[in-house]
Amino acid sequence: MDLVALELFFIGLLGLASLAIAFVAGTVLWNLFRGQR
């Protein structure tokens, strides 16, 4: 088992997860701000 490949895989997974979380949070905040006006 290649340790570097595993590390890169987990880093990519973490990046994707954080991107998805940031996208969802941004969408929710955008809807909240837009709904207040």
Side-chain angles (χ1 to χ4, degrees):
M1 192 76 186
D2 199 0
L3 200 62
V4 179
L6 198 69
E7 197 174 343
L8 281 176
F9 173 73
F10 272 115
I11 288 176
L13 211 63
L14 199 69
L16 276 176
S18 55
L19 268 179
I21 290 174
F23 179 73
V24 169
T27 306
V28 169
L29 279 176
W30 176 257
N31 283 334
L32 275 178
F33 280 128
R34 207 176 50 182
Q36 280 181 356
R37 304 199 173 191

